[in-house]
Amino acid sequence: KFATITLRNQFESVIDNLHLLLNNDFKVKINVVLIKGFNDNEIIDFIKLTEFLPVSIRFIEFMPFAGNEWDRSKMVSHNDILSQVTNHFSEENLIKLEDEKNFTAREFKIKNYIGSFGIISSITNPFCDGCNRIRLTANGKIKNCLFSNSETDLLTAYSNGDSLKELISSAIKSKMKVRAGMNELWTKSTIL
């Protein structure tokens, strides 16, 4: 699965570097985009890593849009994840941790485990009303939301010696209330 996702055969190198970071007291988060029928059977395995490792596993809901249509067939929801967790570990052993200010992940841990896990549920349980993030892409553009189809080109302005303040301010002010304006999870095509 690692090779399928990364298109590389470097699993051992990644694990070695993970342990190197932990041995040097880095705070390590492991992001897992869950895809139904591909890796959703590994939720419990990832959580078991937190028994003896001080890592934070972060399960991310697959963003189910193709074009402007929602397609939930590959999505594993916040509730699906918690259902698997409570079925395996029991509800009494699931501890809800306090959410950070402007959180993206709702945090949990299993009783007596060292690490924790979080669920980033931007689809089924969005956190948009408290989100204060923007993203800078590798080609010098900012997105005010992962769902946004528009980007603001900072690199060209920067290369020309122009001020970036207005561009950034405008991008932030145009941030929509929920998922870049994608408020409906269901369309006619997903209902049928």
Side-chain angles (χ1 to χ4, degrees):
K1 286 183 184 178
F2 181 90
T4 300
I5 293 168
T6 65
L7 303 177
R8 286 165 180 68
N9 189 17
Q10 297 179 355
F11 180 77
E12 294 301 325
S13 177
V14 169
I15 292 299
D16 290 346
N17 282 308
L18 174 84
H19 286 289
L20 177 65
L21 292 168
L22 291 172
N23 290 336
N24 285 283
D25 299 321
F26 279 82
K27 184 177 178 180
V28 175
K29 296 178 182 178
I30 301 172
N31 289 339
V32 181
V33 176
L34 290 172
I35 302 171
K36 189 178 286 183
F38 179 70
N39 64 351
D40 56 327
N41 62 338
E42 298 177 328
I43 293 170
I44 302 306
D45 293 331
F46 274 106
I47 292 175
K48 285 181 178 178
L49 289 174
T50 69
E51 183 174 5
F52 301 108
L53 295 175
V55 297
S56 174
I57 306 296
R58 295 158 56 94
F59 297 113
I60 302 171
E61 288 180 336
F62 183 74
M63 296 172 80
F65 51 86
N68 289 325
E69 295 291 320
W70 290 100
D71 176 7
R72 293 177 54 153
S73 64
K74 294 182 181 179
M75 192 184 73
V76 181
S77 74
H78 179 271
N79 289 341
D80 294 339
I81 297 164
L82 286 182
S83 177
Q84 278 195 44
V85 171
T86 56
N87 285 340
H88 184 84
F89 294 102
S90 84
E91 202 163 325
E92 300 81 47
N93 289 319
L94 178 65
I95 300 168
K96 174 68 178 93
L97 302 175
E98 186 175 338
D99 294 323
E100 297 175 359
K101 184 179 179 182
N102 303 113
F103 69 93
T104 57
R106 289 171 174 85
E107 300 286 336
F108 302 87
K109 72 179 293 168
I110 301 302
K111 186 177 181 180
N112 297 323
Y113 277 29
I114 295 171
S116 62
F117 70 96
I119 303 173
I120 301 175
S121 53
S122 57
I123 308 299
T124 62
N125 200 2
F127 44 83
C128 302
D129 58 343
C131 180
N132 66 350
R133 288 160 173 79
I134 58 173
R135 279 110 182 138
L136 179 63
T137 66
N139 61 351
K141 297 178 181 177
I142 60 170
K143 291 178 72 91
N144 63 14
C145 176
L146 283 178
F147 289 93
S148 179
N149 287 326
S150 65
E151 298 175 340
T152 302
D153 182 6
L154 298 182
L155 183 58
T156 301
Y158 179 77
S159 297
N160 292 335
D162 299 334
S163 171
L164 303 180
K165 184 177 178 180
E166 279 303 313
L167 289 172
I168 295 170
S169 178
S170 178
I172 292 170
K173 288 177 183 174
S174 66
K175 190 173 175 91
M176 305 282 281
K177 186 175 180 179
V178 177
R179 295 188 215 97
M182 295 184 203
N183 297 331
E184 297 299 321
L185 288 180
W186 298 101
T187 64
K188 290 177 186 174
S189 62
T190 57
I191 292 171
L192 300 176

